[in-house]
Amino acid sequence: QSALTQPRSVSGSPGQSVTISCTGTSSDVGGYNYVSWYQQHPGKAPKLMIYDVSKRPSGVPDRFSGSKSGNTASLTISGLQAEDEADYYCCSYAGSFDVVFGGGTKLTVL
Amino acid sequence: QLQLQESGPGLVKPSETLSLTCTVSGGSISSSSYYWGWIRQPPGKGLEWIGSIYYSGSTYYNPSLKSRVTISVDTSKNQFSLKLSSVTAADTAVYYCARRSRFVDVWGQGTTVTVSS
């Protein structure tokens, strides 16, 4: 079981859009539509932003969207705001009741 | 509203066993819809899934930690616990307990465990 691959960092200016990729294998990301994304601010617990690839929990702005193609999932944040600056982690069900996280991506709002 | 709270020693000596408990409030740990799990985050690093347990006692562990991990549940106390044996400095991390189905929707606040003599 290997961690999912995410870029270490991405950046964008306020109002712009950024996309964070999350690459796995056919045993995790590609095999199930159970990809979730979490936002983590420093010193805080992660917060669920996207589940089941593209669904948003209540209270999450529609600026956050998710998608998947093959073994790669993506999180897109449009209309970047200063408060979006955080670490983002993807997570996928990996069979046998197991889950695997990505290595995390630091989003900087310029 | 469901809340999770981790408790346990913040300092553990190398080679000893790390023990943490998660207390669930505002809901029942015996819900058939969820698994209860542990996740850790070493300083400055990413999240790592440790393992999870169903209220019936069925457990699922990260293969990389399986030989050292035991997760148990006490439905009478609405708690579940983590034991990690033979710890080293590499086990120093913030440990989170969490509720998950297809995704983790409730997290504890996290507790810092340092492995040091």
Side-chain angles (χ1 to χ4, degrees), chain A residues 1 34 36 38 40 43-48 50-52 55 89 93 96-104, chain B residues 35 39 41 44-49 52 60-64 96 100-105 107-110:
Chain A
Q1 182 194 52
Y34 296 149
S36 50
Y38 303 86
Q40 186 180 36
K44 301 293 187 182
K47 174 188 175 184
L48 177 67
I50 295 287
Y51 67 97
D52 291 353
K55 298 176 181 178
Y89 293 90
Y93 179 70
S96 300
F97 305 97
D98 202 2
V99 296
V100 60
F101 283 100
Chain B
Y35 295 83
I39 299 158
Q41 186 171 33
K45 296 188 177 181
L47 302 169
E48 180 180 32
W49 185 266
S52 55
Y60 310 94
Y61 300 138
N62 185 326
S64 67
Y96 295 98
R100 80 163 183 91
S101 52
R102 305 179 307 284
F103 48 88
V104 178
D105 63 339
W107 298 71
Q109 65 182 25

Side-chain angles (χ1 to χ4, degrees), chain B residues 80-101:
Chain B
F80 61 105
S81 299
L82 168 71
K83 290 188 185 298
L84 181 65
S85 64
S86 305
V87 297
T88 69
D91 295 309
T92 293
V94 175
Y95 285 76
Y96 295 98
C97 61
R99 183 182 81 169
R100 80 163 183 91
S101 52

Side-chain angles (χ1 to χ4, degrees), chain A residues 25-54:
Chain A
T25 69
S26 58
S27 297
D28 38 63
V29 174
Y32 309 92
N33 287 323
Y34 296 149
V35 176
S36 50
W37 290 89
Y38 303 86
Q39 176 191 67
Q40 186 180 36
H41 286 110
K44 301 293 187 182
K47 174 188 175 184
L48 177 67
M49 304 302 285
I50 295 287
Y51 67 97
D52 291 353
V53 176
S54 60

Side-chain angles (χ1 to χ4, degrees), chain B residues 31-87:
Chain B
S31 169
S32 61
S33 303
Y34 300 102
Y35 295 83
W36 306 90
W38 291 94
I39 299 158
R40 70 180 183 178
Q41 186 171 33
K45 296 188 177 181
L47 302 169
E48 180 180 32
W49 185 266
I50 299 171
S52 55
I53 190 166
Y54 197 53
Y55 76 95
S56 63
S58 298
T59 52
Y60 310 94
Y61 300 138
N62 185 326
S64 67
L65 297 169
K66 188 174 183 177
S67 63
R68 298 194 292 131
V69 173
T70 302
I71 297 177
S72 58
V73 65
D74 187 334
T75 55
S76 67
K77 294 182 178 179
N78 229 28
Q79 295 176 333
F80 61 105
S81 299
L82 168 71
K83 290 188 185 298
L84 181 65
S85 64
S86 305
V87 297

